[in-house]
Amino acid sequence: MSTAPAPDTAQQLAFVLRREVEGEVRFDPGSRHLYATDASNYRHLPLGVVQPRTVDDVVTTVARCREAGVPLISRGAGTSLAGQATGTGVILDCSRHLDRVLAVDPERRTARVEPGVVLDRLQARVADHGLMFGPDPSTHDRCTLGGMIGNDACGVHSLTTGRTVHNVESLDLLLHDGTRLEVGRHDLGAARALAATDGRAGALFSGLLALRDRVGPLVAERMPTIPRRVSGYHLDQLLHDDHLHVARALVGTEGTCAVVLGAEVRLVPRPPHRAVVVLAYPDLGAAADHVPALLAHDLLGLEGLDDVLATGATRPGRPPSRGVELLPPGRAWLLAEVGGTTTAE
């Protein structure tokens, strides 16, 4: 159980941050209660909220929180379902100002983003190039790339494009001690050379290589291989035969290892023509039984719902949800999305 810092710590930290941070520093009751919850049932009243305007603001906030012994919680849009975006320390919210798409490279199919950029903004920026960021959860109009990296977001198209972990090329990181470094895919030879150097980076890579040697066989034996394994640390990304992918190993760590200042992400082609086939079943069991056969059709995405969700969407006294009336008769449905270069395809 987390313990809130003492009131005098909050007052002192708020004073220092307001003096040194260009962005907004909010330790008032209203802001604290606003950030006390995410999309889960958990509630933790934070000490305060910082909305950094610049990367220097983030560096300052991390340093001052470290000096004060106050936990720091990196938060995206607060769409987390297990309380990951709540805490009794200082909430770091980059979605207000650090929200830009910095660069798009259509040839390499990559984009550089700040952590607070909303997914739909990135999608709009790269659409003219016929590209998209593959993972697209239902919160796409508000979730941030930093948050998606934090919880390894999936989405309907992760069936073909993979999860966020499969679409991150490199990360610009800030460690708790103020160290800044960029990590990505590091060949084993390069990683060993880094591990032999002095300084923080050398110590980090030395530790990662030691961790690789120590837990490699156990991870290979026991780590689940299910497609949507989004919980826990991605230690398997340190175990490739010829490299370590440190950036991808940090995806899903929920800000517990480092603060993400920026990222280079992979883009994938956007099918110009799509269609959704809605299939009805007598119950969820029958729908689940049909999934393997559907996956043989190279689908872009496949999602399921049942009559409990449909009934809840049409409950008396609530505005009707669009699309429920389009569902064919049944008690469970699969939505299979197909795509191609032409409508006929």
Side-chain angles (χ1 to χ4, degrees):
M1 181 176 180
S2 57
T3 303
D8 57 340
T9 300
Q11 295 173 2
Q12 294 169 8
L13 183 58
F15 174 80
V16 172
L17 289 173
R18 289 188 181 115
R19 183 180 60 190
E20 300 183 9
V21 169
E22 185 180 345
E24 290 80 10
V25 176
R26 305 184 183 279
F27 278 60
D28 60 282
S31 296
R32 294 172 63 209
H33 282 275
L34 186 65
Y35 282 82
T37 60
D38 52 13
S40 71
N41 288 328
Y42 293 91
R43 184 179 185 278
H44 294 288
L45 193 65
L47 195 67
V49 180
V50 176
Q51 298 169 328
R53 189 176 295 275
T54 64
V55 168
D56 286 343
D57 279 353
V58 180
V59 174
T60 298
T61 301
V62 170
R64 299 299 167 258
C65 287
R66 181 184 69 248
E67 294 164 1
V70 171
L72 190 72
I73 303 98
S74 295
R75 179 179 172 114
T79 59
S80 304
L81 296 175
Q84 306 100 300
T86 68
T88 57
V90 168
I91 300 287
L92 186 67
D93 177 10
C94 294
S95 65
R96 185 176 179 90
H97 301 296
L98 296 178
D99 60 351
R100 296 175 298 164
V101 178
L102 299 174
V104 175
D105 188 334
E107 299 299 321
R108 294 181 57 237
R109 293 180 180 173
T110 60
R112 292 201 69 89
V113 298
E114 292 182 321
V117 66
V118 172
L119 176 59
D120 272 5
R121 181 177 297 182
L122 173 62
Q123 304 290 41
R125 175 75 177 273
V126 303
D128 289 343
H129 300 293
L131 300 171
M132 61 181 283
F133 185 69
D136 53 350
S138 59
T139 54
H140 54 83
D141 62 348
R142 54 198 181 277
C143 67
T144 66
L145 266 293
M148 294 179 70
I149 291 168
N151 64 17
D152 192 14
C154 293
V156 63
H157 295 109
S158 61
L159 183 66
T160 52
T161 65
R163 311 189 308 272
T164 299
V165 67
H166 304 117
N167 294 275
V168 169
E169 299 295 340
S170 67
L171 294 175
D172 182 10
L173 301 177
L174 174 66
L175 306 186
H176 80 283
D177 61 0
T179 300
R180 282 191 64 177
L181 71 161
E182 184 162 344
V183 297
R185 183 189 190 279
H186 303 269
D187 292 339
L188 272 180
R192 288 173 178 141
L194 272 171
T197 62
D198 296 329
R200 188 75 166 107
L204 284 171
F205 275 86
S206 178
L208 289 172
L209 288 169
L211 179 65
R212 169 191 167 100
D213 293 338
R214 187 170 71 252
V215 305
L218 188 62
V219 170
E221 175 188 349
R222 298 191 182 182
M223 182 165 279
T225 57
I226 56 176
R228 287 198 174 186
R229 179 181 53 79
V230 298
S231 59
Y233 291 85
H234 294 317
L235 297 178
D236 54 322
Q237 292 293 337
L238 302 176
L239 304 179
H240 299 287
D241 290 340
D242 60 347
H243 71 277
L244 292 73
H245 209 306
V246 180
R248 293 182 180 180
L250 290 170
V251 173
T253 59
E254 300 286 5
T256 57
C257 296
V259 174
V260 174
L261 301 176
E264 182 180 57
V265 297
R266 183 172 71 97
L267 305 173
V268 297
R270 178 191 299 268
H273 298 275
R274 303 185 190 186
V276 174
V277 181
V278 183
L279 305 169
Y281 300 87
D283 53 52
L284 271 179
D289 288 341
H290 197 203
V291 167
L294 290 173
L295 293 179
H297 289 276
D298 196 23
L299 304 177
L300 293 180
L302 183 64
E303 292 288 318
L305 65 151
D306 64 3
D307 57 340
V308 174
L309 184 60
T311 301
T314 56
R315 189 175 300 169
R318 290 184 178 180
S321 294
R322 293 180 300 170
V324 174
E325 71 281 357
L326 299 177
L327 294 173
R331 296 187 61 192
W333 300 267
L334 292 177
L335 283 69
E337 184 177 357
V338 294
T341 56
T342 67
T343 302
E345 183 185 343

Coordinates of all heavy atoms in Angstrom, one line a residue, residues 188-239:
L188 N 24.9 -7.6 -30.5 CA 25.6 -8.1 -29.3 C 27.0 -7.6 -29.2 O 27.5 -7.2 -28.1 CB 25.7 -9.7 -29.4 CG 24.5 -10.4 -28.8 CD1 24.7 -11.9 -28.9 CD2 24.3 -10.0 -27.3
G189 N 27.7 -7.5 -30.3 CA 29.1 -6.9 -30.3 C 29.1 -5.5 -29.8 O 29.9 -5.1 -28.9
A190 N 28.1 -4.7 -30.3 CA 28.1 -3.3 -29.9 C 27.7 -3.2 -28.4 O 28.2 -2.3 -27.7 CB 27.1 -2.5 -30.8
A191 N 26.7 -4.0 -28.0 CA 26.3 -4.0 -26.6 C 27.5 -4.4 -25.7 O 27.6 -3.8 -24.6 CB 25.1 -5.0 -26.4
R192 N 28.3 -5.3 -26.1 CA 29.4 -5.7 -25.2 C 30.5 -4.6 -25.2 O 31.1 -4.4 -24.2 CB 30.0 -7.0 -25.7 CG 29.1 -8.2 -25.5 CD 29.6 -9.5 -26.1 NE 28.7 -10.6 -25.8 CZ 28.4 -11.6 -26.6 NH1 28.8 -11.6 -27.9 NH2 27.6 -12.6 -26.3
A193 N 30.6 -3.9 -26.3 CA 31.6 -2.8 -26.3 C 31.1 -1.7 -25.4 O 31.9 -1.1 -24.7 CB 31.7 -2.3 -27.8
L194 N 29.8 -1.4 -25.4 CA 29.2 -0.4 -24.5 C 29.4 -0.8 -23.1 O 29.7 0.0 -22.2 CB 27.8 -0.2 -24.8 CG 27.4 0.8 -25.9 CD1 25.9 0.8 -26.2 CD2 27.8 2.2 -25.4
A195 N 29.2 -2.1 -22.8 CA 29.3 -2.6 -21.4 C 30.7 -2.5 -20.9 O 30.9 -2.4 -19.6 CB 28.8 -4.1 -21.4
A196 N 31.7 -2.4 -21.7 CA 33.1 -2.3 -21.3 C 33.5 -0.9 -21.0 O 34.6 -0.6 -20.6 CB 34.0 -2.9 -22.3
T197 N 32.6 0.1 -21.3 CA 33.0 1.5 -21.1 C 32.6 2.0 -19.7 O 31.8 1.3 -19.0 CB 32.2 2.4 -22.2 OG1 30.8 2.3 -22.0 CG2 32.6 2.0 -23.6
D198 N 33.2 3.1 -19.3 CA 32.9 3.7 -18.1 C 31.6 4.5 -18.2 O 31.2 4.8 -19.2 CB 34.1 4.6 -17.6 CG 35.3 3.8 -17.4 OD1 35.2 2.6 -17.0 OD2 36.4 4.4 -17.6
G199 N 31.1 4.8 -17.0 CA 29.9 5.6 -17.0 C 28.6 4.9 -16.9 O 28.6 3.6 -16.8
R200 N 27.5 5.6 -16.9 CA 26.2 5.0 -16.6 C 25.7 4.1 -17.7 O 25.2 3.0 -17.5 CB 25.1 6.2 -16.5 CG 23.8 5.7 -16.0 CD 23.8 5.4 -14.6 NE 22.4 5.3 -14.1 CZ 21.8 4.1 -13.8 NH1 22.5 3.0 -13.9 NH2 20.6 4.1 -13.3
A201 N 26.0 4.5 -19.0 CA 25.6 3.6 -20.1 C 26.3 2.3 -20.0 O 25.7 1.2 -20.3 CB 25.8 4.3 -21.4
G202 N 27.6 2.3 -19.7 CA 28.4 1.1 -19.6 C 27.8 0.2 -18.5 O 27.7 -1.1 -18.7
A203 N 27.5 0.8 -17.4 CA 26.9 0.0 -16.3 C 25.6 -0.6 -16.6 O 25.3 -1.8 -16.3 CB 26.8 0.8 -15.0
L204 N 24.8 0.1 -17.4 CA 23.5 -0.4 -17.7 C 23.6 -1.6 -18.7 O 22.9 -2.6 -18.5 CB 22.7 0.7 -18.4 CG 22.1 1.8 -17.5 CD1 21.5 3.0 -18.3 CD2 21.0 1.2 -16.6
F205 N 24.4 -1.4 -19.7 CA 24.5 -2.5 -20.7 C 25.2 -3.7 -20.0 O 24.9 -4.9 -20.4 CB 25.2 -2.1 -21.9 CG 24.3 -1.4 -22.9 CD1 24.0 -0.1 -22.8 CD2 23.7 -2.2 -23.9 CE1 23.1 0.5 -23.7 CE2 22.8 -1.6 -24.8 CZ 22.5 -0.2 -24.7
S206 N 26.1 -3.5 -19.1 CA 26.7 -4.6 -18.4 C 25.7 -5.4 -17.6 O 25.7 -6.6 -17.6 CB 27.8 -4.1 -17.5 OG 28.4 -5.1 -16.7
G207 N 24.8 -4.6 -17.0 CA 23.7 -5.3 -16.2 C 22.8 -6.0 -17.1 O 22.3 -7.1 -16.7
L208 N 22.4 -5.4 -18.3 CA 21.5 -6.1 -19.2 C 22.1 -7.4 -19.7 O 21.3 -8.4 -19.8 CB 21.1 -5.1 -20.3 CG 20.2 -3.9 -19.9 CD1 20.1 -3.0 -21.1 CD2 18.9 -4.4 -19.5
L209 N 23.3 -7.4 -20.0 CA 24.0 -8.6 -20.6 C 24.0 -9.7 -19.5 O 23.8 -10.8 -19.7 CB 25.4 -8.3 -21.1 CG 25.4 -7.5 -22.4 CD1 26.8 -7.0 -22.7 CD2 24.9 -8.3 -23.5
A210 N 24.3 -9.2 -18.2 CA 24.3 -10.2 -17.1 C 22.9 -10.8 -16.9 O 22.8 -12.0 -16.6 CB 24.8 -9.5 -15.9
L211 N 21.9 -9.9 -17.0 CA 20.5 -10.4 -16.8 C 20.2 -11.4 -17.9 O 19.5 -12.4 -17.7 CB 19.6 -9.2 -16.9 CG 18.1 -9.5 -16.7 CD1 17.8 -10.1 -15.4 CD2 17.3 -8.2 -17.0
R212 N 20.6 -11.1 -19.2 CA 20.4 -11.9 -20.3 C 20.9 -13.3 -20.0 O 20.3 -14.4 -20.2 CB 21.0 -11.3 -21.5 CG 21.1 -12.2 -22.8 CD 21.9 -11.6 -23.8 NE 22.3 -12.5 -24.9 CZ 21.7 -12.6 -26.1 NH1 20.7 -11.8 -26.3 NH2 22.1 -13.5 -27.0
D213 N 22.2 -13.4 -19.5 CA 22.8 -14.7 -19.3 C 22.1 -15.4 -18.1 O 22.0 -16.6 -18.1 CB 24.3 -14.4 -18.9 CG 25.1 -13.9 -20.1 OD1 24.6 -14.1 -21.3 OD2 26.1 -13.3 -19.9
R214 N 21.7 -14.6 -17.1 CA 21.1 -15.3 -15.9 C 19.7 -15.8 -16.1 O 19.4 -17.0 -15.6 CB 21.1 -14.3 -14.8 CG 20.8 -14.9 -13.4 CD 21.0 -13.9 -12.3 NE 20.1 -12.8 -12.2 CZ 20.4 -11.6 -12.5 NH1 21.6 -11.3 -12.9 NH2 19.5 -10.6 -12.5
V215 N 18.9 -15.1 -16.8 CA 17.5 -15.5 -16.9 C 17.1 -16.1 -18.2 O 15.9 -16.5 -18.4 CB 16.5 -14.4 -16.5 CG1 16.9 -13.8 -15.2 CG2 16.5 -13.3 -17.6
G216 N 18.0 -16.0 -19.2 CA 17.7 -16.4 -20.6 C 17.0 -17.8 -20.7 O 15.9 -17.9 -21.2
P217 N 17.6 -18.8 -20.1 CA 17.0 -20.2 -20.2 C 15.6 -20.3 -19.6 O 14.7 -20.9 -20.1 CB 18.0 -21.1 -19.5 CG 19.3 -20.3 -19.6 CD 19.0 -18.9 -19.5
L218 N 15.5 -19.6 -18.4 CA 14.2 -19.6 -17.7 C 13.1 -18.9 -18.5 O 11.9 -19.4 -18.6 CB 14.3 -19.0 -16.3 CG 13.1 -19.2 -15.4 CD1 12.8 -20.6 -15.1 CD2 13.4 -18.4 -14.1
V219 N 13.4 -17.8 -19.1 CA 12.5 -17.0 -19.9 C 12.1 -17.8 -21.1 O 10.9 -17.9 -21.5 CB 13.0 -15.6 -20.3 CG1 12.1 -15.0 -21.3 CG2 13.2 -14.7 -19.1
A220 N 13.1 -18.4 -21.8 CA 12.8 -19.2 -23.0 C 11.9 -20.4 -22.7 O 11.0 -20.8 -23.5 CB 14.1 -19.7 -23.6
E221 N 12.0 -20.9 -21.5 CA 11.2 -22.1 -21.1 C 9.8 -21.8 -20.7 O 8.9 -22.5 -21.0 CB 11.9 -22.8 -20.0 CG 11.2 -24.0 -19.4 CD 11.8 -24.6 -18.1 OE1 13.0 -24.2 -17.8 OE2 11.1 -25.4 -17.5
R222 N 9.7 -20.6 -19.9 CA 8.4 -20.4 -19.3 C 7.6 -19.2 -19.8 O 6.4 -19.1 -19.4 CB 8.6 -20.2 -17.8 CG 9.2 -21.5 -17.1 CD 9.2 -21.3 -15.6 NE 9.8 -22.5 -14.9 CZ 9.9 -22.6 -13.6 NH1 9.3 -21.6 -12.8 NH2 10.4 -23.6 -13.1
M223 N 8.2 -18.3 -20.5 CA 7.4 -17.1 -20.9 C 6.3 -17.5 -21.9 O 6.6 -18.1 -22.9 CB 8.3 -16.0 -21.4 CG 7.6 -14.7 -21.8 SD 8.7 -13.3 -22.1 CE 9.0 -12.8 -20.4
P224 N 5.1 -17.1 -21.6 CA 4.0 -17.5 -22.5 C 4.2 -16.9 -23.9 O 4.8 -15.8 -24.1 CB 2.8 -16.8 -21.9 CG 3.1 -16.6 -20.4 CD 4.6 -16.3 -20.4
T225 N 3.7 -17.6 -24.9 CA 3.9 -17.1 -26.3 C 2.6 -16.6 -26.9 O 2.4 -16.5 -28.1 CB 4.5 -18.2 -27.2 OG1 3.6 -19.4 -27.1 CG2 5.9 -18.6 -26.7
I226 N 1.6 -16.4 -26.1 CA 0.3 -15.9 -26.6 C 0.4 -14.6 -27.2 O 1.2 -13.7 -26.8 CB -0.8 -15.8 -25.4 CG1 -0.3 -14.9 -24.3 CG2 -1.1 -17.2 -24.9 CD1 -1.3 -14.7 -23.2
P227 N -0.4 -14.3 -28.3 CA -0.2 -13.1 -29.1 C -0.3 -11.8 -28.3 O 0.3 -10.8 -28.5 CB -1.2 -13.2 -30.2 CG -1.5 -14.7 -30.3 CD -1.3 -15.2 -28.9
R228 N -1.3 -11.8 -27.4 CA -1.5 -10.5 -26.6 C -1.0 -10.6 -25.2 O -1.6 -10.2 -24.2 CB -3.0 -10.2 -26.6 CG -3.5 -9.7 -27.9 CD -4.9 -9.0 -27.8 NE -5.3 -8.4 -29.1 CZ -6.3 -7.7 -29.2 NH1 -7.1 -7.4 -28.2 NH2 -6.6 -7.1 -30.4
R229 N 0.2 -11.1 -25.1 CA 0.9 -11.1 -23.8 C 1.4 -9.7 -23.5 O 2.5 -9.3 -23.9 CB 2.0 -12.1 -23.7 CG 2.8 -12.1 -22.4 CD 3.9 -13.1 -22.4 NE 4.8 -12.9 -23.6 CZ 5.8 -12.0 -23.6 NH1 5.9 -11.2 -22.6 NH2 6.6 -11.9 -24.6
V230 N 0.6 -8.9 -22.7 CA 1.0 -7.5 -22.5 C 1.3 -7.2 -21.0 O 1.6 -6.1 -20.7 CB -0.2 -6.5 -22.9 CG1 -0.4 -6.7 -24.4 CG2 -1.4 -6.8 -22.1
S231 N 1.3 -8.2 -20.2 CA 1.6 -8.0 -18.8 C 3.1 -8.4 -18.5 O 3.6 -9.3 -19.1 CB 0.7 -8.7 -17.9 OG 0.7 -10.1 -18.2
G232 N 3.7 -7.8 -17.5 CA 5.1 -8.2 -17.2 C 6.1 -7.5 -18.1 O 5.8 -6.7 -19.0
Y233 N 7.3 -7.8 -17.8 CA 8.5 -7.2 -18.5 C 8.8 -8.0 -19.7 O 8.9 -9.3 -19.6 CB 9.7 -7.0 -17.6 CG 9.4 -5.9 -16.5 CD1 8.8 -6.3 -15.3 CD2 9.8 -4.6 -16.7 CE1 8.5 -5.3 -14.3 CE2 9.6 -3.7 -15.7 CZ 8.9 -4.0 -14.5 OH 8.7 -3.1 -13.6
H234 N 9.2 -7.4 -20.8 CA 9.5 -8.1 -22.1 C 11.0 -8.5 -22.1 O 11.8 -8.1 -22.9 CB 9.2 -7.3 -23.3 CG 7.7 -7.0 -23.4 ND1 6.7 -7.9 -23.3 CD2 7.1 -5.8 -23.8 CE1 5.6 -7.4 -23.5 NE2 5.7 -6.1 -23.8
L235 N 11.3 -9.4 -21.1 CA 12.7 -9.9 -21.1 C 13.1 -10.7 -22.3 O 14.3 -10.8 -22.6 CB 12.8 -10.8 -19.8 CG 12.6 -10.1 -18.5 CD1 12.8 -11.1 -17.3 CD2 13.5 -8.9 -18.3
D236 N 12.1 -11.2 -23.0 CA 12.5 -11.9 -24.3 C 13.1 -11.0 -25.3 O 13.8 -11.5 -26.2 CB 11.2 -12.6 -24.9 CG 10.1 -11.6 -25.1 OD1 9.9 -10.7 -24.3 OD2 9.4 -11.8 -26.1
Q237 N 12.9 -9.7 -25.2 CA 13.5 -8.8 -26.2 C 15.0 -8.6 -25.9 O 15.7 -8.0 -26.7 CB 12.8 -7.4 -26.1 CG 11.4 -7.4 -26.6 CD 11.3 -7.7 -28.1 OE1 12.3 -7.5 -28.8 NE2 10.2 -8.2 -28.6
L238 N 15.5 -9.2 -24.8 CA 16.9 -9.1 -24.5 C 17.6 -10.4 -25.0 O 18.8 -10.6 -24.8 CB 17.2 -8.9 -23.0 CG 16.6 -7.7 -22.4 CD1 16.9 -7.7 -20.9 CD2 17.2 -6.4 -23.0
L239 N 16.9 -11.4 -25.5 CA 17.4 -12.7 -25.7 C 17.5 -13.1 -27.2 O 17.7 -14.3 -27.5 CB 16.5 -13.7 -25.0 CG 16.2 -13.5 -23.5 CD1 15.3 -14.6 -23.0 CD2 17.5 -13.5 -22.8

